[in-house]
């Protein structure tokens, strides 16, 4: 374990080849900026899997995602259901959304949906006005930023990944951008899979972005903490008790009997800020837990395993 050291964010340093281009996202876009982006979707000059995203409150994750469907642009208004009550829309505001034509989902985590007729670019200014009114209705009309998928997050050098969807690529971009802003870690992106490996202290952690539905992803954090440990009743009991008490992460044994520490996140609504905090906590905990297990039950950490052994 690296005593007294916690991975932290340094905003001045951005890893080469990571993150958005110089023009993305567009902060405080004009109505013409937004209408032009929506017009690209209407003209289908890109492809049907692309999207336009308006983020009204990045910290609290208020956003409207547009995709094309036939002669309509489908808007999905995402409101984070885990927000503190003071940051959620009031009942009056939700009623205003319904009066504006938005349809709520089955559960709180579902986005609000509305289909806007869009036969040509001429329809886009009306859509922009409607969305501005929507964000004003929930008190999020200030500080809007604009993103679109055809100038989305760049991949690290040498990486070529076949993404299942734009949601898959976006979640991967958040992970790559977040680790590119962190100190005290070494980062190795997989060349073909949406996985990033992070070395910190005595541990190696994988952050794997997994598509689970057309527009949904899961981010799996995992670290093989200890290898070549005797799987005794005492070890099993200790792991179960730790799982019972843990509010974050969970222990398991892989098929080789090695001790694994893991945690999963929903990638659909995660922000870079939230992922950075989660990963920092995960790294710090993993870097202490492996030493505890080796001291109590034996085995080797990722750092201490004899160099001639496999794995």
């Amino acid at each position: 374990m690296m005593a007294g050291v916690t991975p932290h964010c340094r905003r001045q340093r951005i890893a080469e080849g990571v993150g958005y281009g110089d023009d993305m996202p567009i902060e405080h876009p004009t109505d013409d900026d937004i209408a032009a982006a929506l017009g690209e979707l209407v003209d289908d000059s890109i492809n049907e899997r692309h999207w336009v995203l308006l983020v009204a409150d990045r910290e609290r994750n208020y956003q409207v995602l547009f995709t094309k469907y036939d002669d309509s642009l489908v808007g999905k208004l995402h409101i984070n259901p885990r927000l503190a009550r003071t940051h959620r829309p009031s009942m009056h505001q939700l009623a205003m959304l319904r009066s504006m034509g938005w349809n709520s989902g089955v559960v709180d985590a579902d986005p609000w949906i509305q289909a806007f007729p869009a036969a040509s670019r001429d329809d886009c200014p009306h859509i922009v006005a409607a969305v501005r009114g929507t964000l004003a209705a929930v008190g999020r009309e200030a500080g809007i930023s604009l993103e679109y998928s055809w100038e989305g997050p760049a991949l690290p050098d040498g990486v070529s990944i076949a993404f299942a969807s734009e949601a898959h690529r976006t979640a991967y971009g958040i992970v790559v951008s977040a680790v590119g802003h962190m100190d005290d870690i070494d980062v190795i992106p997989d060349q073909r899979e949406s996985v990033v490996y992070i070395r910190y202290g005595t541990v190696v952690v994988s952050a794997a972005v997994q598509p689970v539905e057309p527009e949904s992803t899961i981010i799996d954090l995992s670290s093989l903490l200890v290898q070549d440990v005797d799987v005794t009743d005492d070890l099993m009991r200790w792991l179960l008790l730790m799982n019972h008490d843990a509010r974050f992460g969970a222990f398991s044994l892989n098929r080789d009997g090695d001790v694994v520490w893991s945690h999963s996140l929903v990638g659909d609504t995660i922000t870079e800020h939230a992922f950075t905090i989660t990963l920092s906590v995960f790294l710090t905990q993993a870097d202490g837990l492996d030493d505890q297990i080796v001291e109590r039950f034996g085995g080797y950490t990722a750092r201490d395993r004899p160099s001639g052994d496999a794995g």
Side-chain angles (χ1 to χ4, degrees), residues 1-277:
M1 178 177 181
M2 299 172 62
V5 178
T6 300
H8 59 280
C9 180
R10 184 175 68 183
R11 302 305 299 180
Q12 289 77 19
R13 180 176 66 84
I14 301 177
E16 182 178 358
V18 173
Y20 286 93
D22 293 339
D23 298 328
M24 295 292 289
I26 300 171
E27 301 293 345
H28 308 291
T30 66
D31 288 358
D32 288 342
D33 291 332
I34 301 172
L38 295 178
E40 291 295 314
L41 292 183
V42 170
D43 286 349
D44 197 24
S45 57
I46 306 138
N47 67 59
E48 63 182 8
R49 293 174 62 185
H50 279 286
W51 46 260
V52 171
L53 179 68
L54 294 174
V55 181
D57 187 335
R58 192 171 295 278
E59 182 178 353
R60 299 184 179 92
N61 214 37
Y62 277 80
Q63 52 185 249
V64 183
L65 178 71
F66 285 99
T67 54
K68 183 179 180 181
Y69 184 77
D70 290 337
D71 289 331
S72 299
L73 292 184
V74 177
K76 294 183 179 180
L77 172 62
H78 292 266
I79 301 173
N80 190 342
R82 296 178 179 84
L83 290 173
R85 186 171 298 278
T86 54
H87 297 304
R88 292 186 226 161
S90 65
M91 296 301 294
H92 174 68
Q93 289 172 321
L94 295 178
M96 289 182 64
L97 291 180
R98 293 188 181 92
S99 71
M100 293 177 173
W102 292 93
N103 299 299
S104 60
V106 177
V107 297
D108 287 345
D110 290 340
W112 292 64
I113 297 177
Q114 182 172 178
F116 297 89
S120 72
R121 283 178 176 261
D122 293 338
D123 296 313
C124 293
H126 304 291
I127 299 174
V128 174
V131 173
R132 292 276 193 189
T134 296
L135 296 175
V138 292
R140 294 296 184 276
E141 68 274 23
I144 294 175
S145 66
L146 168 66
E147 303 172 22
Y148 34 86
S149 56
W150 52 98
E151 289 188 12
L155 299 183
D157 292 340
V159 172
S160 177
I161 299 172
F163 292 101
S165 65
E166 287 301 330
H168 185 196
R169 181 186 177 102
T170 299
Y172 177 79
I174 288 173
V175 169
V176 172
S177 183
V179 298
H181 286 89
M182 294 175 67
D183 288 333
D184 307 315
I185 62 174
D186 295 319
V187 180
I188 304 173
D190 192 282
Q191 300 297 296
R192 295 292 179 266
E193 302 294 334
S194 52
V195 181
V196 176
Y197 299 96
I198 306 116
R199 181 180 291 276
Y200 173 70
T202 58
V203 298
V204 176
V205 171
S206 64
V209 184
Q210 310 283 5
V212 292
E213 291 183 6
E215 294 186 12
S216 294
T217 57
I218 295 293
I219 302 173
D220 291 322
L221 301 177
S222 180
S223 179
L224 196 161
L225 294 184
V226 178
Q227 297 172 277
D228 292 345
V229 60
D230 290 333
V231 181
T232 63
D233 290 344
D234 286 343
L235 172 64
M236 298 291 285
R237 177 179 175 81
W238 187 86
L239 294 177
L240 287 172
L241 289 173
M242 291 292 286
N243 278 347
H244 179 269
D245 295 337
R247 295 186 177 182
F248 180 97
F251 284 107
S252 62
L253 296 177
N254 65 16
R255 295 185 182 277
D256 294 325
D258 302 322
V259 180
V260 177
W261 176 247
S262 59
H263 184 71
S264 296
L265 303 160
V266 177
D268 305 1
T269 56
I270 194 72
T271 63
E272 182 176 331
H273 175 70
F275 179 76
T276 299
I277 293 174

